[in-house]
Amino acid sequence: MVQKDKSDETPEFQRKVILECPVAGIGFHDIKDIWDELYVGAKIALVRERNNKYDKNAVAVALADDYDGNPDEFDFNFILGYIPRQNNHAIAAILDMGWEEFIEAEISELNDHASYSDRLHITVYIRSKKPVKPKDNRIRIKYFNDDEEWNNFTDMLWQKGYSYFRWGGCSPWELELPEKGDKVVFIRKYERESELYLMMVIATGDDCAPFIDDIELLHAVEDSSLYVLTVVKGPVCAMNNGLAFLGKQLVGCQQPDVRLEKAASDALMEIIQYD
């Protein structure tokens, strides 16, 4: 059985944009001295300046490396500028409530020859409280071991634009069967070469009803479910020796209940030439 690639399970945080704005006041903070060090994507720190006598909601913009996280001991001489007064109310409130760990910012635009008011832009994000697991895009495969099954598949595909299959078995909840949006490579191996189709699941279970002629097929077998797939790319021909990296798992995949390891998945996508 193909094992999961643990590197693909590293969690990450979801982010949403809450503000895009120019940095105000950069002409007063010697930004010319470090301009060549700035780049799009550079991490920015937002520092609440509560004692600013001109703006009670002042939020300073500094390079992340120049800020240690303590606004009370921060030297405000080392800033790039400020979030504009008309844009800083919500950010100031978030920082005042102690939620600074959920705020991220980075440089999003640098305009060398623009006026100071339009030269440096940043984007501010709020990130999720809990990490989210990135979608596992590793490919599944299904192997066809006889011409009749393969011909039935390709005939339906070219007549309807999609094909359906019933997958599952004993204790189906223990299997990692495809979900809507997952991609599966269908493979028919001949003497010297193989024919491949890259397919995508577009419906599962009861959602397959619009695609089948006999509605009784939905629940015809208790421990399995219908899957409807449409073609993404194919047919693609590949020499069998070029698929050697799939090894014994090629002929063992009668249904796509496991994903390939990442290296094998990437290699298969390179053969199909699909990004």
Side-chain angles (χ1 to χ4, degrees), residues 74-269:
F74 181 65
D75 186 347
F76 284 90
N77 289 316
F78 294 97
I79 67 173
L80 303 177
Y82 291 89
I83 289 185
R85 185 188 299 265
Q86 65 269 25
N87 301 119
N88 66 10
H89 296 73
I91 304 299
I94 291 173
L95 297 176
D96 287 344
M97 294 297 291
W99 295 341
E100 59 271 7
E101 64 181 297
F102 302 116
I103 294 292
E104 298 178 357
E106 60 190 37
I107 294 176
S108 55
E109 189 177 339
L110 294 167
N111 301 310
D112 290 21
H113 304 295
S115 63
Y116 278 126
S117 63
D118 192 42
R119 188 166 296 186
L120 172 62
H121 289 243
I122 63 170
T123 298
V124 182
Y125 304 87
I126 187 166
R127 71 164 177 81
S128 57
K129 183 177 181 180
K130 296 181 179 180
V132 293
K133 184 178 177 181
K135 182 174 175 57
D136 190 345
N137 292 318
R138 290 176 296 151
I139 294 298
R140 304 167 182 269
I141 58 176
K142 172 175 167 47
Y143 177 73
F144 290 77
N145 56 13
D146 65 74
D147 286 335
E148 182 178 359
E149 185 185 17
W150 180 257
N151 291 336
N152 288 339
F153 156 64
T154 55
D155 286 348
M156 180 180 291
L157 190 63
W158 293 112
Q159 289 174 17
K160 297 179 176 292
Y162 60 86
S163 188
Y164 60 79
F165 294 84
R166 185 176 295 280
W167 293 322
C170 183
S171 303
W173 53 87
E174 296 180 358
L175 302 173
E176 286 193 60
L177 289 164
E179 298 177 353
K180 185 176 180 180
D182 281 354
K183 295 184 177 66
V184 182
V185 174
F186 286 14
I187 303 175
R188 177 68 176 119
K189 187 177 181 182
Y190 299 103
E191 183 177 351
R192 298 182 59 187
E193 63 181 19
S194 294
E195 193 172 357
L196 296 79
Y197 282 86
L198 177 61
M199 307 290 294
M200 183 173 68
V201 178
I202 58 174
T204 64
D206 290 347
D207 292 339
C208 296
F211 300 94
I212 60 176
D213 298 326
D214 184 358
I215 198 67
E216 293 184 1
L217 287 175
L218 281 178
H219 307 291
V221 182
E222 184 176 349
D223 62 355
S224 63
S225 179
L226 279 180
Y227 293 80
V228 176
L229 301 96
T230 190
V231 65
V232 177
K233 187 172 183 179
V236 174
C237 291
M239 300 304 295
N240 290 338
N241 57 9
L243 298 174
F245 63 89
L246 294 175
K248 294 181 179 179
Q249 62 192 358
L250 176 60
V251 296
C253 289
Q254 302 303 311
Q255 64 178 16
D257 55 352
V258 293
R259 298 180 189 271
L260 295 176
E261 294 180 354
K262 189 175 189 309
S265 177
D266 291 346
L268 190 56
M269 287 298 94

